[in-house]
Amino acid sequence: MNVHSRGKPKIRAPRRTLVTNDDDFQTTWSQLEASFGQIHSKNASSISYETLYRLGYRLVLKRKGEELYNGVANFERKWLTNNVQAEVKSLLAPSLLAPVGSGAGALSTVERRELGERFLRGLKQAYQDHQVCMNMLGDVLMYLDRVYCGENHVPSIYTRAMQLFRECVLDVPAEEQNPHSVRILDVVNSIILEQVQMERDGEIIEKNILKSCVYMLEGLFVDAQESEEKKLYNVTFEPLFLRMSRDFYHDEAERLIREFDAGGYCRQTKKRLGEELDRCCSTLSESTTQKIQAVVEEELITNKLNELINMDSGANYMIINDKAEDLGLLYDLNAQVDNRKGKLSNAIHCQIIAMGDALNATILDIAASGPQAANGLTDAAIQWVDRVLTLKDKFDRFHEVSFRSDHIFQTTLAESFHHFINAPAFGRAAEFISLFIDENMKRGIKDKTDAEVDEVLEKAVVLIRYLKDQDSFEMYYKKHLSKRLLMHKSVSLDAEKLMISRMKMELGNNFTYKLESMFKDMSTSEGLTSDYKDYVSGLESTGPRRVDMIVSILTGVTWPLESASSMEELSNKPQQKVIYPDAVNRAREDFEKFYGQRHAGRILFWQPNMGTADMTVRFPGKNGSGYRQHELSVPTYGMIILMLFADLPSGESLSFAEIQAGTNIPPKELSRNLQALSVAPKTRILRKEPMSREVNETDRFFFNEGFTSQFKKVKVGLIAMRNRAETVAEQEETKKAQDKQRALVIEAAMVRIMKGRKTLSYSQLLSATIDQLSSRFKPEISMMKARIDALIDREYLARVDDASPPAVRYVA
């Protein structure tokens, strides 16, 4: 059977009945050796591979396997040494043996690339030819591999031949006359590394040639032990490649930092990473992928990340200038070297706090300006919330676009906003958020669609979620809500109820219980007012017509009544008697009688400071002819004051003291109402002498007969009637009231805990109290200790004698 030398013969096993002459080994080997020479010379068209197989088979049967094995090995050694080695060395130009950059031969990069490719191409061809030939010999000597090699545990003919290629071609000195020169293998590694560097520098190289040589290095081993870690590629080339790459990327990092901004650096780094991963697939070995990736990440990312984040064009610049794409690249780099993204996360945290502290500082500067800045502070407070929400929207976009909706950064954003919103030096967030909601409920949501209203409410709830002291927010919200409800300032009661529903979902039933009770009181009051009108209509048939009156019945423990802090105080001190006009007083007494019939035993405490009145006032006409009249909407105190002037002769006046004596209105409230009636430019129903912005006790007041207005209906609003931000002094008063309320809450929590646990150490009781109240506020240690002492004094608790550590027990 004749087969072309490059073909792979299909050989049949000889029949066991074959009878041959007992030729000696040398004669048979001579035939085999000659045929092997023809195969290696690519001149095997006349060879019968079946005959060669039989010859090898017979030698093995004659127990000549060792001689045959050694003969083949010696033949391959000679062939490789005399033919292949010489051919490979002939491709080595002297310049390839000189170090890169030494200037040997003054070759250009292109010339060195072409010489290197020529050498690698020749080596690749020699190796592939050797493989083809050894595949053929392996088929011919199949019986030798199966019997002799298997029984004696020696490498197969093919494996041994590959070892010989390494020994005779790659492991020999590159310069014949210099046995101490570098090996051909070293030259191969050097050329591949140089070609890789050329590609990194932008040159185009023949990747398939390098890939073939890498296959060769992966197919050969440093010794007879064929294992993954013994591959020439892993032992000789890869360490050099990684070391060279580390040096290159160390310098590359310095260059990129100098030449690019942070965004450009990120792009170049991403590009380099992609190039190296592609190179491992197309040029080198995929087994190197993770190793070179680690090198690039360490040199370009890990070692430069701090500098990259903090440089002038780094994270802060990207945030301030909305560079979402660049920030996303920075995030991607950080994520590649740290699953926690700690460095970037910390930078974002610090930047949010810095931006938040700047917002806080603006407010604190206004607050420090004094009481005269109250209205400006209120506007600034609402702007503060708007800016915090704008900041929140900004970072929400970053979270989605730049941080890939990473839950770690979601936590970072939440913690950062929580930090500056609840900064101890600020302490105004709860009040300002309530003012923001108040402003929107009175004006902000007017003419908005349901979807837009829902968006406003959702943003408000998000900010409430960040508050540390929920009880403080509840206190301000109740105060502002009460004014909206009583003064009928809300644009939409449905929106009010929806807001409370959202807060209930976020903060729980306990938080909204009193708020819901306020709405219930208003609803109940509407029914009572309707029933009272029916009641009065029966009385008017037998008496004079009564003043129309709408009454809101407010539960004392639910509503934040400013004139009395608690029902206990109202019950224990005499109520200041405001002197009402006769008609109003008669209506008030009628309602008390009506209410007493409905709810026996209940006591009503009137709050004129929280009411309004509509009244018709007549002014003399021009030139004494007829009269003009306006319908005035005034606070209840304002109505009482104006009624004093109803029967006062023209030109007569009343002093501040006379008005106070005739009404018994508290001086502070009296000043505010007189200011609204005599100083405010559009509502000067009274005339004040001397005319000034402030109301003094020495001032006198006249009915202003010359009052004019282009409107039939005139609304008189109190100065500072608007819900406004508190001054520093008012804030201190609020803090005292809040501490008083917290003391009661802490005591109630401690009693509940001790009732269930009976005996606890001080530290255990403090810890349990903090756990129970943390959703509402974080109680101070000093306050909790004071409450323990108060409970002991009132015999709710008792100290445990000789306990270590100190403990208390519940007194049943």
mmCIF file with all atom_site columns, all heavy atoms in Angstrom, residues 420-440:
data_model
loop_
_atom_site.group_PDB
_atom_site.id
_atom_site.type_symbol
_atom_site.label_atom_id
_atom_site.label_alt_id
_atom_site.label_comp_id
_atom_site.label_asym_id
_atom_site.label_entity_id
_atom_site.label_seq_id
_atom_site.pdbx_PDB_ins_code
_atom_site.Cartn_x
_atom_site.Cartn_y
_atom_site.Cartn_z
_atom_site.occupancy
_atom_site.B_iso_or_equiv
_atom_site.pdbx_formal_charge
_atom_site.auth_seq_id
_atom_site.auth_comp_id
_atom_site.auth_asym_id
_atom_site.auth_atom_id
_atom_site.pdbx_PDB_model_num
ATOM 1   N N   . PHE A 1 420 ? -26.022 63.740 57.044 1.00 0.00 ? 420 PHE A N   1
ATOM 2   C CA  . PHE A 1 420 ? -26.039 65.206 57.060 1.00 0.00 ? 420 PHE A CA  1
ATOM 3   C C   . PHE A 1 420 ? -27.414 65.766 57.409 1.00 0.00 ? 420 PHE A C   1
ATOM 4   O O   . PHE A 1 420 ? -27.517 66.863 57.980 1.00 0.00 ? 420 PHE A O   1
ATOM 5   C CB  . PHE A 1 420 ? -25.507 65.782 55.737 1.00 0.00 ? 420 PHE A CB  1
ATOM 6   C CG  . PHE A 1 420 ? -26.502 65.877 54.612 1.00 0.00 ? 420 PHE A CG  1
ATOM 7   C CD1 . PHE A 1 420 ? -27.446 66.880 54.564 1.00 0.00 ? 420 PHE A CD1 1
ATOM 8   C CD2 . PHE A 1 420 ? -26.473 64.964 53.563 1.00 0.00 ? 420 PHE A CD2 1
ATOM 9   C CE1 . PHE A 1 420 ? -28.347 66.993 53.510 1.00 0.00 ? 420 PHE A CE1 1
ATOM 10  C CE2 . PHE A 1 420 ? -27.366 65.051 52.513 1.00 0.00 ? 420 PHE A CE2 1
ATOM 11  C CZ  . PHE A 1 420 ? -28.309 66.069 52.482 1.00 0.00 ? 420 PHE A CZ  1
ATOM 12  N N   . ILE A 1 421 ? -28.478 65.022 57.110 1.00 0.00 ? 421 ILE A N   1
ATOM 13  C CA  . ILE A 1 421 ? -29.816 65.503 57.478 1.00 0.00 ? 421 ILE A CA  1
ATOM 14  C C   . ILE A 1 421 ? -29.980 65.531 58.993 1.00 0.00 ? 421 ILE A C   1
ATOM 15  O O   . ILE A 1 421 ? -30.628 66.420 59.548 1.00 0.00 ? 421 ILE A O   1
ATOM 16  C CB  . ILE A 1 421 ? -30.893 64.618 56.816 1.00 0.00 ? 421 ILE A CB  1
ATOM 17  C CG1 . ILE A 1 421 ? -30.971 64.934 55.316 1.00 0.00 ? 421 ILE A CG1 1
ATOM 18  C CG2 . ILE A 1 421 ? -32.258 64.816 57.468 1.00 0.00 ? 421 ILE A CG2 1
ATOM 19  C CD1 . ILE A 1 421 ? -31.911 64.037 54.545 1.00 0.00 ? 421 ILE A CD1 1
ATOM 20  N N   . ASN A 1 422 ? -29.352 64.550 59.671 1.00 0.00 ? 422 ASN A N   1
ATOM 21  C CA  . ASN A 1 422 ? -29.457 64.466 61.125 1.00 0.00 ? 422 ASN A CA  1
ATOM 22  C C   . ASN A 1 422 ? -28.209 64.971 61.837 1.00 0.00 ? 422 ASN A C   1
ATOM 23  O O   . ASN A 1 422 ? -27.974 64.617 62.989 1.00 0.00 ? 422 ASN A O   1
ATOM 24  C CB  . ASN A 1 422 ? -29.728 63.014 61.535 1.00 0.00 ? 422 ASN A CB  1
ATOM 25  C CG  . ASN A 1 422 ? -31.051 62.507 61.003 1.00 0.00 ? 422 ASN A CG  1
ATOM 26  O OD1 . ASN A 1 422 ? -32.106 62.895 61.456 1.00 0.00 ? 422 ASN A OD1 1
ATOM 27  N ND2 . ASN A 1 422 ? -30.987 61.624 60.010 1.00 0.00 ? 422 ASN A ND2 1
ATOM 28  N N   . ALA A 1 423 ? -27.407 65.796 61.159 1.00 0.00 ? 423 ALA A N   1
ATOM 29  C CA  . ALA A 1 423 ? -26.190 66.321 61.775 1.00 0.00 ? 423 ALA A CA  1
ATOM 30  C C   . ALA A 1 423 ? -26.533 67.058 63.073 1.00 0.00 ? 423 ALA A C   1
ATOM 31  O O   . ALA A 1 423 ? -27.428 67.911 63.086 1.00 0.00 ? 423 ALA A O   1
ATOM 32  C CB  . ALA A 1 423 ? -25.477 67.262 60.813 1.00 0.00 ? 423 ALA A CB  1
ATOM 33  N N   . PRO A 1 424 ? -25.849 66.748 64.182 1.00 0.00 ? 424 PRO A N   1
ATOM 34  C CA  . PRO A 1 424 ? -26.163 67.386 65.475 1.00 0.00 ? 424 PRO A CA  1
ATOM 35  C C   . PRO A 1 424 ? -26.084 68.910 65.420 1.00 0.00 ? 424 PRO A C   1
ATOM 36  O O   . PRO A 1 424 ? -26.873 69.610 66.069 1.00 0.00 ? 424 PRO A O   1
ATOM 37  C CB  . PRO A 1 424 ? -25.099 66.805 66.413 1.00 0.00 ? 424 PRO A CB  1
ATOM 38  C CG  . PRO A 1 424 ? -24.713 65.502 65.794 1.00 0.00 ? 424 PRO A CG  1
ATOM 39  C CD  . PRO A 1 424 ? -24.798 65.713 64.315 1.00 0.00 ? 424 PRO A CD  1
ATOM 40  N N   . ALA A 1 425 ? -25.152 69.437 64.612 1.00 0.00 ? 425 ALA A N   1
ATOM 41  C CA  . ALA A 1 425 ? -24.991 70.887 64.536 1.00 0.00 ? 425 ALA A CA  1
ATOM 42  C C   . ALA A 1 425 ? -26.126 71.545 63.766 1.00 0.00 ? 425 ALA A C   1
ATOM 43  O O   . ALA A 1 425 ? -26.297 72.770 63.820 1.00 0.00 ? 425 ALA A O   1
ATOM 44  C CB  . ALA A 1 425 ? -23.659 71.229 63.866 1.00 0.00 ? 425 ALA A CB  1
ATOM 45  N N   . PHE A 1 426 ? -26.913 70.763 63.046 1.00 0.00 ? 426 PHE A N   1
ATOM 46  C CA  . PHE A 1 426 ? -28.009 71.308 62.237 1.00 0.00 ? 426 PHE A CA  1
ATOM 47  C C   . PHE A 1 426 ? -29.312 71.247 63.022 1.00 0.00 ? 426 PHE A C   1
ATOM 48  O O   . PHE A 1 426 ? -29.848 72.248 63.453 1.00 0.00 ? 426 PHE A O   1
ATOM 49  C CB  . PHE A 1 426 ? -28.102 70.535 60.926 1.00 0.00 ? 426 PHE A CB  1
ATOM 50  C CG  . PHE A 1 426 ? -29.146 71.060 59.985 1.00 0.00 ? 426 PHE A CG  1
ATOM 51  C CD1 . PHE A 1 426 ? -29.126 72.387 59.582 1.00 0.00 ? 426 PHE A CD1 1
ATOM 52  C CD2 . PHE A 1 426 ? -30.147 70.240 59.508 1.00 0.00 ? 426 PHE A CD2 1
ATOM 53  C CE1 . PHE A 1 426 ? -30.089 72.886 58.713 1.00 0.00 ? 426 PHE A CE1 1
ATOM 54  C CE2 . PHE A 1 426 ? -31.113 70.720 58.643 1.00 0.00 ? 426 PHE A CE2 1
ATOM 55  C CZ  . PHE A 1 426 ? -31.085 72.048 58.241 1.00 0.00 ? 426 PHE A CZ  1
ATOM 56  N N   . GLY A 1 427 ? -29.845 70.067 63.207 1.00 0.00 ? 427 GLY A N   1
ATOM 57  C CA  . GLY A 1 427 ? -31.005 69.868 64.081 1.00 0.00 ? 427 GLY A CA  1
ATOM 58  C C   . GLY A 1 427 ? -32.294 70.514 63.627 1.00 0.00 ? 427 GLY A C   1
ATOM 59  O O   . GLY A 1 427 ? -33.182 70.763 64.452 1.00 0.00 ? 427 GLY A O   1
ATOM 60  N N   . ARG A 1 428 ? -32.455 70.829 62.338 1.00 0.00 ? 428 ARG A N   1
ATOM 61  C CA  . ARG A 1 428 ? -33.677 71.482 61.876 1.00 0.00 ? 428 ARG A CA  1
ATOM 62  C C   . ARG A 1 428 ? -34.443 70.651 60.847 1.00 0.00 ? 428 ARG A C   1
ATOM 63  O O   . ARG A 1 428 ? -35.474 71.100 60.327 1.00 0.00 ? 428 ARG A O   1
ATOM 64  C CB  . ARG A 1 428 ? -33.340 72.836 61.226 1.00 0.00 ? 428 ARG A CB  1
ATOM 65  C CG  . ARG A 1 428 ? -32.509 73.789 62.043 1.00 0.00 ? 428 ARG A CG  1
ATOM 66  C CD  . ARG A 1 428 ? -33.221 74.276 63.291 1.00 0.00 ? 428 ARG A CD  1
ATOM 67  N NE  . ARG A 1 428 ? -34.409 75.047 63.040 1.00 0.00 ? 428 ARG A NE  1
ATOM 68  C CZ  . ARG A 1 428 ? -34.473 76.380 63.105 1.00 0.00 ? 428 ARG A CZ  1
ATOM 69  N NH1 . ARG A 1 428 ? -33.401 77.086 63.416 1.00 0.00 ? 428 ARG A NH1 1
ATOM 70  N NH2 . ARG A 1 428 ? -35.612 77.011 62.900 1.00 0.00 ? 428 ARG A NH2 1
ATOM 71  N N   . ALA A 1 429 ? -33.960 69.465 60.511 1.00 0.00 ? 429 ALA A N   1
ATOM 72  C CA  . ALA A 1 429 ? -34.523 68.704 59.391 1.00 0.00 ? 429 ALA A CA  1
ATOM 73  C C   . ALA A 1 429 ? -35.998 68.374 59.600 1.00 0.00 ? 429 ALA A C   1
ATOM 74  O O   . ALA A 1 429 ? -36.811 68.531 58.688 1.00 0.00 ? 429 ALA A O   1
ATOM 75  C CB  . ALA A 1 429 ? -33.716 67.427 59.164 1.00 0.00 ? 429 ALA A CB  1
ATOM 76  N N   . ALA A 1 430 ? -36.372 67.900 60.799 1.00 0.00 ? 430 ALA A N   1
ATOM 77  C CA  . ALA A 1 430 ? -37.765 67.509 61.048 1.00 0.00 ? 430 ALA A CA  1
ATOM 78  C C   . ALA A 1 430 ? -38.702 68.694 60.840 1.00 0.00 ? 430 ALA A C   1
ATOM 79  O O   . ALA A 1 430 ? -39.761 68.580 60.198 1.00 0.00 ? 430 ALA A O   1
ATOM 80  C CB  . ALA A 1 430 ? -37.904 66.955 62.461 1.00 0.00 ? 430 ALA A CB  1
ATOM 81  N N   . GLU A 1 431 ? -38.323 69.848 61.357 1.00 0.00 ? 431 GLU A N   1
ATOM 82  C CA  . GLU A 1 431 ? -39.141 71.055 61.215 1.00 0.00 ? 431 GLU A CA  1
ATOM 83  C C   . GLU A 1 431 ? -39.236 71.467 59.749 1.00 0.00 ? 431 GLU A C   1
ATOM 84  O O   . GLU A 1 431 ? -40.325 71.792 59.245 1.00 0.00 ? 431 GLU A O   1
ATOM 85  C CB  . GLU A 1 431 ? -38.520 72.185 62.043 1.00 0.00 ? 431 GLU A CB  1
ATOM 86  C CG  . GLU A 1 431 ? -39.264 73.499 61.917 1.00 0.00 ? 431 GLU A CG  1
ATOM 87  C CD  . GLU A 1 431 ? -38.492 74.652 62.547 1.00 0.00 ? 431 GLU A CD  1
ATOM 88  O OE1 . GLU A 1 431 ? -37.353 74.435 63.016 1.00 0.00 ? 431 GLU A OE1 1
ATOM 89  O OE2 . GLU A 1 431 ? -39.042 75.770 62.555 1.00 0.00 ? 431 GLU A OE2 1
ATOM 90  N N   . PHE A 1 432 ? -38.108 71.441 59.038 1.00 0.00 ? 432 PHE A N   1
ATOM 91  C CA  . PHE A 1 432 ? -38.084 71.924 57.655 1.00 0.00 ? 432 PHE A CA  1
ATOM 92  C C   . PHE A 1 432 ? -38.875 71.005 56.725 1.00 0.00 ? 432 PHE A C   1
ATOM 93  O O   . PHE A 1 432 ? -39.558 71.478 55.818 1.00 0.00 ? 432 PHE A O   1
ATOM 94  C CB  . PHE A 1 432 ? -36.641 72.027 57.170 1.00 0.00 ? 432 PHE A CB  1
ATOM 95  C CG  . PHE A 1 432 ? -35.874 73.176 57.776 1.00 0.00 ? 432 PHE A CG  1
ATOM 96  C CD1 . PHE A 1 432 ? -36.473 74.016 58.705 1.00 0.00 ? 432 PHE A CD1 1
ATOM 97  C CD2 . PHE A 1 432 ? -34.558 73.411 57.436 1.00 0.00 ? 432 PHE A CD2 1
ATOM 98  C CE1 . PHE A 1 432 ? -35.781 75.080 59.271 1.00 0.00 ? 432 PHE A CE1 1
ATOM 99  C CE2 . PHE A 1 432 ? -33.849 74.456 57.985 1.00 0.00 ? 432 PHE A CE2 1
ATOM 100 C CZ  . PHE A 1 432 ? -34.459 75.293 58.910 1.00 0.00 ? 432 PHE A CZ  1
ATOM 101 N N   . ILE A 1 433 ? -38.791 69.711 56.955 1.00 0.00 ? 433 ILE A N   1
ATOM 102 C CA  . ILE A 1 433 ? -39.546 68.783 56.108 1.00 0.00 ? 433 ILE A CA  1
ATOM 103 C C   . ILE A 1 433 ? -41.037 68.983 56.329 1.00 0.00 ? 433 ILE A C   1
ATOM 104 O O   . ILE A 1 433 ? -41.839 68.958 55.384 1.00 0.00 ? 433 ILE A O   1
ATOM 105 C CB  . ILE A 1 433 ? -39.123 67.329 56.389 1.00 0.00 ? 433 ILE A CB  1
ATOM 106 C CG1 . ILE A 1 433 ? -37.672 67.107 55.952 1.00 0.00 ? 433 ILE A CG1 1
ATOM 107 C CG2 . ILE A 1 433 ? -40.035 66.340 55.661 1.00 0.00 ? 433 ILE A CG2 1
ATOM 108 C CD1 . ILE A 1 433 ? -37.091 65.780 56.384 1.00 0.00 ? 433 ILE A CD1 1
ATOM 109 N N   . SER A 1 434 ? -41.447 69.206 57.576 1.00 0.00 ? 434 SER A N   1
ATOM 110 C CA  . SER A 1 434 ? -42.851 69.484 57.860 1.00 0.00 ? 434 SER A CA  1
ATOM 111 C C   . SER A 1 434 ? -43.289 70.789 57.209 1.00 0.00 ? 434 SER A C   1
ATOM 112 O O   . SER A 1 434 ? -44.400 70.883 56.662 1.00 0.00 ? 434 SER A O   1
ATOM 113 C CB  . SER A 1 434 ? -43.082 69.543 59.374 1.00 0.00 ? 434 SER A CB  1
ATOM 114 O OG  . SER A 1 434 ? -44.438 69.755 59.665 1.00 0.00 ? 434 SER A OG  1
ATOM 115 N N   . LEU A 1 435 ? -42.430 71.816 57.235 1.00 0.00 ? 435 LEU A N   1
ATOM 116 C CA  . LEU A 1 435 ? -42.745 73.083 56.572 1.00 0.00 ? 435 LEU A CA  1
ATOM 117 C C   . LEU A 1 435 ? -42.878 72.898 55.065 1.00 0.00 ? 435 LEU A C   1
ATOM 118 O O   . LEU A 1 435 ? -43.742 73.508 54.421 1.00 0.00 ? 435 LEU A O   1
ATOM 119 C CB  . LEU A 1 435 ? -41.656 74.116 56.868 1.00 0.00 ? 435 LEU A CB  1
ATOM 120 C CG  . LEU A 1 435 ? -41.697 74.805 58.229 1.00 0.00 ? 435 LEU A CG  1
ATOM 121 C CD1 . LEU A 1 435 ? -40.446 75.639 58.443 1.00 0.00 ? 435 LEU A CD1 1
ATOM 122 C CD2 . LEU A 1 435 ? -42.938 75.685 58.348 1.00 0.00 ? 435 LEU A CD2 1
ATOM 123 N N   . PHE A 1 436 ? -42.027 72.053 54.500 1.00 0.00 ? 436 PHE A N   1
ATOM 124 C CA  . PHE A 1 436 ? -42.085 71.772 53.065 1.00 0.00 ? 436 PHE A CA  1
ATOM 125 C C   . PHE A 1 436 ? -43.423 71.123 52.701 1.00 0.00 ? 436 PHE A C   1
ATOM 126 O O   . PHE A 1 436 ? -44.075 71.516 51.719 1.00 0.00 ? 436 PHE A O   1
ATOM 127 C CB  . PHE A 1 436 ? -40.921 70.849 52.689 1.00 0.00 ? 436 PHE A CB  1
ATOM 128 C CG  . PHE A 1 436 ? -40.984 70.324 51.275 1.00 0.00 ? 436 PHE A CG  1
ATOM 129 C CD1 . PHE A 1 436 ? -40.568 71.103 50.216 1.00 0.00 ? 436 PHE A CD1 1
ATOM 130 C CD2 . PHE A 1 436 ? -41.455 69.039 51.019 1.00 0.00 ? 436 PHE A CD2 1
ATOM 131 C CE1 . PHE A 1 436 ? -40.621 70.619 48.907 1.00 0.00 ? 436 PHE A CE1 1
ATOM 132 C CE2 . PHE A 1 436 ? -41.514 68.549 49.734 1.00 0.00 ? 436 PHE A CE2 1
ATOM 133 C CZ  . PHE A 1 436 ? -41.095 69.339 48.671 1.00 0.00 ? 436 PHE A CZ  1
ATOM 134 N N   . ILE A 1 437 ? -43.834 70.158 53.494 1.00 0.00 ? 437 ILE A N   1
ATOM 135 C CA  . ILE A 1 437 ? -45.130 69.509 53.241 1.00 0.00 ? 437 ILE A CA  1
ATOM 136 C C   . ILE A 1 437 ? -46.257 70.520 53.431 1.00 0.00 ? 437 ILE A C   1
ATOM 137 O O   . ILE A 1 437 ? -47.218 70.565 52.646 1.00 0.00 ? 437 ILE A O   1
ATOM 138 C CB  . ILE A 1 437 ? -45.317 68.302 54.174 1.00 0.00 ? 437 ILE A CB  1
ATOM 139 C CG1 . ILE A 1 437 ? -44.230 67.244 53.908 1.00 0.00 ? 437 ILE A CG1 1
ATOM 140 C CG2 . ILE A 1 437 ? -46.692 67.676 53.984 1.00 0.00 ? 437 ILE A CG2 1
ATOM 141 C CD1 . ILE A 1 437 ? -44.228 66.096 54.897 1.00 0.00 ? 437 ILE A CD1 1
ATOM 142 N N   . ASP A 1 438 ? -46.134 71.348 54.459 1.00 0.00 ? 438 ASP A N   1
ATOM 143 C CA  . ASP A 1 438 ? -47.150 72.374 54.737 1.00 0.00 ? 438 ASP A CA  1
ATOM 144 C C   . ASP A 1 438 ? -47.305 73.311 53.544 1.00 0.00 ? 438 ASP A C   1
ATOM 145 O O   . ASP A 1 438 ? -48.430 73.628 53.121 1.00 0.00 ? 438 ASP A O   1
ATOM 146 C CB  . ASP A 1 438 ? -46.736 73.150 55.982 1.00 0.00 ? 438 ASP A CB  1
ATOM 147 C CG  . ASP A 1 438 ? -47.740 74.222 56.368 1.00 0.00 ? 438 ASP A CG  1
ATOM 148 O OD1 . ASP A 1 438 ? -48.841 73.863 56.798 1.00 0.00 ? 438 ASP A OD1 1
ATOM 149 O OD2 . ASP A 1 438 ? -47.411 75.416 56.218 1.00 0.00 ? 438 ASP A OD2 1
ATOM 150 N N   . GLU A 1 439 ? -46.180 73.752 52.999 1.00 0.00 ? 439 GLU A N   1
ATOM 151 C CA  . GLU A 1 439 ? -46.221 74.677 51.861 1.00 0.00 ? 439 GLU A CA  1
ATOM 152 C C   . GLU A 1 439 ? -46.875 74.030 50.647 1.00 0.00 ? 439 GLU A C   1
ATOM 153 O O   . GLU A 1 439 ? -47.658 74.657 49.935 1.00 0.00 ? 439 GLU A O   1
ATOM 154 C CB  . GLU A 1 439 ? -44.790 75.129 51.521 1.00 0.00 ? 439 GLU A CB  1
ATOM 155 C CG  . GLU A 1 439 ? -44.702 76.228 50.485 1.00 0.00 ? 439 GLU A CG  1
ATOM 156 C CD  . GLU A 1 439 ? -45.221 77.563 50.991 1.00 0.00 ? 439 GLU A CD  1
ATOM 157 O OE1 . GLU A 1 439 ? -45.369 77.730 52.219 1.00 0.00 ? 439 GLU A OE1 1
ATOM 158 O OE2 . GLU A 1 439 ? -45.471 78.452 50.146 1.00 0.00 ? 439 GLU A OE2 1
ATOM 159 N N   . ASN A 1 440 ? -46.558 72.778 50.417 1.00 0.00 ? 440 ASN A N   1
ATOM 160 C CA  . ASN A 1 440 ? -47.148 72.077 49.270 1.00 0.00 ? 440 ASN A CA  1
ATOM 161 C C   . ASN A 1 440 ? -48.633 71.817 49.471 1.00 0.00 ? 440 ASN A C   1
ATOM 162 O O   . ASN A 1 440 ? -49.419 71.916 48.530 1.00 0.00 ? 440 ASN A O   1
ATOM 163 C CB  . ASN A 1 440 ? -46.407 70.765 49.021 1.00 0.00 ? 440 ASN A CB  1
ATOM 164 C CG  . ASN A 1 440 ? -45.169 70.943 48.175 1.00 0.00 ? 440 ASN A CG  1
ATOM 165 O OD1 . ASN A 1 440 ? -45.245 71.065 46.958 1.00 0.00 ? 440 ASN A OD1 1
ATOM 166 N ND2 . ASN A 1 440 ? -44.015 71.006 48.829 1.00 0.00 ? 440 ASN A ND2 1
#
